[in-house]
Amino acid sequence: MKRWMAMVAVFLMLAGLASAAEEELKVGDEQGVIPLYQGKPYLHVMHEGRSVKVQRVQDREFELHGYFARTSRECPPFCLGPMSVDPGVKTVGELEIFHFMENQMRDGTGVLIDARTPEWYAKGTIPGSINLPFTLLSKDADDLEMEEVLEQLGAKPREEVGPVTRKLEEWGLLDRKYVTDKWDFSECKELVLWCNGPACGQSPRAIQGLLDVGYPAEKIGYYRGGMQVWQLFGLTTIN
Amino acid sequence: MVTRERFGNSGGWSRHSLTMGLLFGVFVMSFSVSAAEDDDYLKALSQEADKVGNTVTTEDAAASATAGARGGVSRQLFETELKEKYAGSAVFYSKLPSATQEEIFLEYRSGASIAELRKKIMDRFLHR
């Protein structure tokens, strides 16, 4: 009889332990946050003068709906583009964007650019982005609007260069890495440009425009995933 | 002789003008083709932007303090999901006063099941 009692007690104890473990697991699961990446639950970024929390949608059952859930668009013009816009321009992913938000953007040395036309920007953007449409960034270096943009991005108009300096630059005795005849890009900001995703040509055009006026390729990043991939991962967007 | 030269010169000039004209034409054509392509692209972009009726926006600002199981989901997102999956409930939801809609959305954010919410929408609509 005693043996039976002991067996029942052990059984009950084991059942209790299993139940407690299940509960613990359930509680832990409910409390668990889906982070931006391991060890980083969220971050804050300034957007139009206010702090916005960037995180992932916490609903594990959440499914993407609407325009950016569509797989296909008319091609041309909305054809899949290459991974790289230019050999000198680095293509970046979400983690690099998070890092960029927390470092370069925070200390004022980096700008995240939504290169889409204003009507797209108005329908939602990645927090912290400023809208510089590709139509603007494709203008000539002599264009007044382009000049304003370049100055906003830290480029400085170059004063008239004397013949001696010019010759020295031509001979490679003076560093011309970050200067053109018209602009000095040595203190320009790091940029990351993005648009609607891999089938969007707006940011590649904007990047090409910047390269054409002499913006250093190594200071430009291309977020190819754009709005489509950003939303696919349930990352915060803002109107 | 003079006449021949004149004719020769005249022929040379006309060939020259023709070539120049052609070059100019090609230049203008290429420019206008490029401009037309740009216009077409902008037009296509604009048409495409019109299709983005319900952009999924998941802004989380001050509301993060009250965030529950669906902390990052905006009201717009909730309403889009409701329309797409439960059209009937979405119609009744749209008839509710905004304060009640807000109440239902907050319950959704705090993790209430969709079945509970649909019942609540009907209860509120029928003043039960």
Side-chain angles (χ1 to χ4, degrees), chain B residues 2 5 21 23 38 44 64 69 91:
Chain B
V2 172
E5 270 179 14
L23 282 173
D38 282 350
S64 64
V91 171

Side-chain angles (χ1 to χ4, degrees), chain A residues 48-177:
Chain A
E48 294 178 356
R50 67 194 176 105
S51 178
V52 176
K53 189 176 182 181
V54 176
Q55 61 180 356
R56 295 182 69 184
V57 170
Q58 297 299 306
D59 180 3
R60 286 163 175 78
E61 304 303 316
F62 176 72
E63 289 176 8
L64 191 60
H65 297 281
Y67 180 81
F68 288 101
R70 289 165 52 180
T71 58
S72 309
R73 290 173 185 83
E74 198 179 342
C75 168
F78 307 111
C79 303
L80 284 169
M83 184 58 84
S84 170
V85 173
D86 179 275
V89 172
K90 57 186 176 300
T91 301
V92 301
E94 291 71 37
L95 263 64
E96 288 81 7
I97 297 278
F98 304 148
H99 185 79
F100 190 74
M101 284 173 165
E102 289 208 294
N103 293 280
Q104 288 93 328
M105 285 171 70
R106 207 165 276 177
D107 63 25
T109 59
V111 181
L112 185 60
I113 297 177
D114 180 343
R116 301 174 301 165
T117 52
E119 56 192 322
W120 285 96
Y121 177 78
K123 295 192 174 185
T125 191
I126 295 175
S129 301
I130 62 163
N131 186 214
L132 293 177
F134 78 96
T135 45
L136 177 60
L137 296 176
S138 307
K139 289 183 186 281
D140 292 335
D142 296 332
D143 187 277
L144 277 175
E145 282 184 300
M146 187 60 158
E147 285 182 359
E148 270 181 31
V149 167
L150 290 176
E151 286 192 50
Q152 191 186 340
L153 299 178
K156 287 179 185 151
R158 232 179 145 202
E159 287 173 13
E160 194 62 41
V161 179
V164 177
T165 310
R166 191 176 294 275
K167 271 290 165 210
L168 289 172
E169 283 180 357
E170 279 172 18
W171 293 337
L173 296 170
L174 283 178
D175 189 12
R176 266 185 70 94
K177 192 179 177 188

Side-chain angles (χ1 to χ4, degrees), chain A residues 50 53 55 58-59 62 65 67 70 73 77-78 119-120 123 134-135 201-202 205 231 235-237 239, chain B residues 38 41-42 44-46 48-52 55-61 64 69-70 72-73 77 84:
Chain A
R50 67 194 176 105
K53 189 176 182 181
Q55 61 180 356
Q58 297 299 306
D59 180 3
F62 176 72
H65 297 281
Y67 180 81
R70 289 165 52 180
R73 290 173 185 83
F78 307 111
E119 56 192 322
W120 285 96
K123 295 192 174 185
F134 78 96
T135 45
Q202 298 183 74
R205 284 176 187 227
Q231 291 209 1
L235 288 159
T236 306
T237 58
N239 276 89
Chain B
D38 282 350
Y41 184 55
L42 285 172
L45 278 174
S46 185
E48 204 67 5
D50 290 340
K51 296 176 189 170
V52 193
T55 306
V56 180
T57 54
T58 50
E59 182 194 351
D60 180 85
S64 64
R70 300 181 180 107
V73 181
L77 191 80
E84 289 183 2

Side-chain angles (χ1 to χ4, degrees), chain B residues 21-92:
Chain B
L22 275 169
L23 282 173
F24 183 72
V26 168
F27 175 74
V28 169
M29 283 277 284
S30 65
F31 202 75
S32 57
V33 166
S34 162
E37 277 173 4
D38 282 350
D39 285 350
D40 286 348
Y41 184 55
L42 285 172
K43 197 175 158 190
L45 278 174
S46 185
Q47 284 171 350
E48 204 67 5
D50 290 340
K51 296 176 189 170
V52 193
N54 294 312
T55 306
V56 180
T57 54
T58 50
E59 182 194 351
D60 180 85
S64 64
T66 58
R70 300 181 180 107
V73 181
S74 70
R75 185 162 157 183
Q76 193 181 0
L77 191 80
F78 162 66
E79 290 173 358
T80 304
E81 193 180 351
L82 199 65
K83 269 184 206 158
E84 289 183 2
K85 288 187 176 170
Y86 310 100
S89 299
V91 171
F92 293 119

Side-chain angles (χ1 to χ4, degrees), chain B residues 4-17:
Chain B
R4 208 184 292 167
E5 270 179 14
R6 266 189 192 158
F7 270 113
N9 275 343
S10 159
W13 273 112
S14 73
R15 268 199 300 277
H16 182 71
S17 339

Side-chain angles (χ1 to χ4, degrees), chain B residues 89-107:
Chain B
S89 299
V91 171
F92 293 119
Y93 173 86
S94 67
K95 309 275 181 206
L96 297 174
S98 60
T100 313
Q101 288 181 346
E102 177 75 10
E103 178 199 345
I104 286 165
F105 167 63
L106 289 174
E107 284 201 18

